[in-house]
Amino acid sequence: MKLVGIIGEHPHDTEAVANLLVQKFANIVNFKTLLREIHGSMLDSQKTKHLLRKAYENNQADVIVFVRDLDAFEDNREKKLERQTYFNESNKVIDGRGIFLLNIQTLEALIFSDIERFNAFAKSELSFVDNPMMIDNPKRELKENSSYSEGQCPEIFKHIRIDTVAQNCRYFREFLNEFEKRIA
């Protein structure tokens, strides 16, 4: 059984991603949130890199998933470079065992990839979107059109289907392909 550490901007995010991935990898991977006390831009600090190294050494993770939001559209080169630099520097700290899940805008865009299951969960009537990464502010869209709150995110990710999310979100599909190679 392999151990996959997950680091993100909030424990709700890392738990949500673990809940989605466990649908497909429960028999071969254990998931563990690392650095639970680190939030948002704290991930970019030098102190966090030291804590990351300690967490890596203490947990002996085979792979570490870094979950970050771009908080911009995908054509924002400056923000993409900033996030890629964060990942590259953090990945050096853990001897190259990292894999990057970059969410265009926010993690909530993945919910729109399987909006049918979200609607059943939240008893809402949101519409399917061809490219969920093109939604300006998916978190706001969910809040304004349903009873969604960030605290529900881990539970919602138990209900949305990993294969449907991969089918409808190019970024997640590319991440999932790389993830499967890394844990093989």
Side-chain angles (χ1 to χ4, degrees):
M1 185 76 77
K2 294 198 173 195
L3 176 65
V4 173
I6 304 180
I7 295 172
E9 297 181 4
H10 193 280
H12 289 151
D13 293 356
T14 57
E15 189 177 342
V17 170
N19 287 344
L20 188 61
L21 292 172
V22 80
Q23 294 175 23
K24 194 167 191 162
F25 303 103
N27 294 333
I28 57 173
V29 174
N30 283 326
F31 295 96
K32 181 175 184 177
T33 295
L34 303 176
L35 305 179
R36 295 185 69 83
E37 66 282 354
I38 304 297
H39 296 215
S41 63
M42 294 168 66
L43 290 167
D44 300 318
S45 77
Q46 195 61 36
K47 180 181 176 184
T48 299
K49 289 181 181 75
H50 293 296
L51 295 172
L52 172 60
R53 181 69 190 181
K54 285 183 182 176
Y56 167 65
E57 290 173 349
N58 290 340
N59 290 286
Q60 304 284 314
D62 297 291
V63 174
I64 296 180
V65 175
F66 293 85
V67 181
R68 290 297 300 263
D69 296 341
L70 186 62
D71 297 324
F73 285 115
E74 63 184 322
D75 61 354
N76 188 325
R77 294 174 148 202
E78 185 176 322
K79 289 291 281 188
K80 282 181 97 170
L81 179 61
E82 179 183 303
R83 292 296 191 252
Q84 190 62 50
T85 299
Y86 152 78
F87 172 71
N88 292 344
E89 290 176 0
S90 297
N91 199 26
K92 285 180 189 172
V93 172
I94 57 163
D95 303 325
R97 293 187 182 226
I99 182 170
F100 196 29
L101 173 56
L102 178 64
N103 301 298
I104 305 302
Q105 296 295 346
T106 63
L107 182 67
E108 282 83 354
L110 295 180
I111 293 171
F112 280 91
S113 298
D114 192 4
I115 200 64
E116 181 181 301
R117 293 297 284 265
F118 173 78
N119 283 337
F121 174 84
K123 298 178 180 39
S124 60
E125 296 181 0
L126 290 160
S127 300
F128 176 76
V129 178
D130 284 340
N131 184 353
M133 295 300 161
M134 294 302 292
I135 299 171
D136 183 18
N137 187 332
K139 186 183 300 186
R140 183 184 63 219
E141 287 295 318
L142 290 172
K143 284 182 173 182
E144 289 180 358
N145 297 297
S146 72
S147 59
Y148 174 77
S149 71
E150 289 97 334
Q152 295 175 311
C153 208
E155 185 63 27
I156 291 167
F157 275 65
K158 287 180 183 175
H159 295 273
I160 61 174
R161 298 163 289 193
I162 189 169
D163 291 334
T164 303
V165 173
Q167 178 183 345
N168 294 325
C169 178
R170 173 175 49 94
Y171 279 87
F172 186 76
R173 183 172 51 250
E174 291 170 1
F175 161 79
L176 191 58
N177 288 339
E178 182 64 25
F179 183 79
E180 288 175 324
K181 289 178 194 169
R182 297 292 292 275
I183 63 165

